[in-house]
Amino acid sequence: MNRDVRDIDFKIVAALDKLSQVQRILLWEVAKNENLSPIQIQFIQFIQQFPPEMCRVSVLARDFDLTKATVSDAITTLETKGLIDKSKEENDRRTTLISLTTQGKRIAKRLSGWQDALYRHISQFQDAEKEKMSGMLMDLIKGLFEDGVIRVARMCLACSNFRLDAFAGTDKPHLCGLTGNAIGDQDFSFGCAHYTASE
């Protein structure tokens, strides 16, 4: 690998690190204003986004790469604050589902804009630049997932339902085996509730 390539690789990693720092700063600012921890905010957003059957301690622990004990502590705090309710799943009374209370939904709505600064700047790029950036980042996440660095990817490229080039030569060359829909690179999903880890 020549020096120029190493330098650009370093710059990309450094840029990703800086963006991660920006995310932490933005999240901490919101957390401070709402008297919540950053992970509690992320849990509230997860519960708001995903269907009830996914809102369980075991799923949160796996998705956020935390221990069940850590997740349980945060969930207990959110319950004490009146932001979430717990209920037993009808088909399996051993499984506890977590949902937002009315107050929790109000907080979730207030939290929805914490990444607005990032969206504002990203929106200024050309569509072609954004598609290239999105593709590169998804490939990077897929590689880290395959290396075992990330436990849950929640995106098409790492999903067992994804069929690469099932319709090669068309403008939507890939297939979602779950929905049966043809998809193009621009349709790739991130944060899909129906994601199933590929083997």
Side-chain angles (χ1 to χ4, degrees):
M1 186 184 295
N2 64 48
R3 180 175 172 78
D4 289 340
V5 173
R6 283 202 306 271
D7 284 350
I8 194 65
D9 291 350
F10 172 80
K11 288 175 185 176
I12 291 170
V13 171
L16 289 171
D17 184 55
K18 180 55 72 174
L19 288 173
S20 177
Q21 181 184 357
V22 168
Q23 290 268 76
R24 286 194 301 272
I25 290 168
L26 293 173
L27 193 53
W28 267 112
E29 191 61 32
V30 174
K32 184 174 61 180
N33 292 339
E34 295 292 347
N35 195 27
L36 296 167
S37 72
I39 196 63
Q40 289 168 357
I41 287 175
Q42 290 177 300
F43 287 173
I44 287 171
Q45 291 180 316
F46 185 97
I47 295 164
Q48 179 192 36
Q49 178 182 358
F50 289 103
E53 63 271 14
M54 288 185 60
C55 298
R56 307 190 312 261
V57 167
S58 59
V59 175
L60 288 166
R62 189 174 64 245
D63 270 45
F64 288 90
D65 203 14
L66 298 168
T67 65
K68 288 183 181 179
T70 299
V71 173
S72 292
D73 286 347
I75 292 300
T76 298
T77 301
L78 290 173
E79 186 178 25
T80 301
K81 289 174 183 268
L83 303 180
I84 63 159
D85 279 328
K86 293 178 183 175
S87 61
K88 294 295 182 184
E89 190 172 34
E90 288 184 16
N91 298 331
D92 184 356
R93 303 301 293 172
R94 296 169 298 176
T95 301
T96 301
L97 301 179
I98 306 160
S99 60
L100 294 178
T101 62
T102 301
Q103 184 183 351
K105 289 174 184 175
R106 280 198 296 268
I107 292 274
K109 190 173 182 181
R110 285 207 302 269
L111 296 174
S112 63
W114 75 270
Q115 293 172 311
D116 283 354
L118 286 168
Y119 281 114
R120 186 171 67 252
H121 287 281
I122 289 171
S123 70
Q124 295 171 16
F125 288 94
Q126 298 294 319
D127 286 348
E129 292 176 304
K130 288 190 279 190
E131 285 180 18
K132 188 172 182 179
M133 186 190 305
S134 174
M136 188 192 90
L137 291 172
M138 285 194 178
D139 283 339
L140 176 59
I141 292 167
K142 180 177 184 275
L144 292 169
F145 169 75
E146 290 172 345
D147 286 351
V149 177
I150 298 170
R151 289 174 61 195
V152 179
R154 287 211 183 283
M155 59 182 228
C156 293
L157 292 177
C159 182
S160 64
N161 295 308
F162 180 69
R163 307 290 181 267
L164 181 70
D165 291 333
F167 308 113
T170 68
D171 61 343
K172 291 183 180 286
H174 317 301
L175 171 70
C176 173
L178 180 69
T179 65
N181 292 334
I183 53 177
D185 291 355
Q186 71 279 3
D187 302 317
F188 285 164
S189 171
F190 196 86
C192 179
H194 304 294
Y195 163 84
T196 306
S198 56
E199 297 299 328

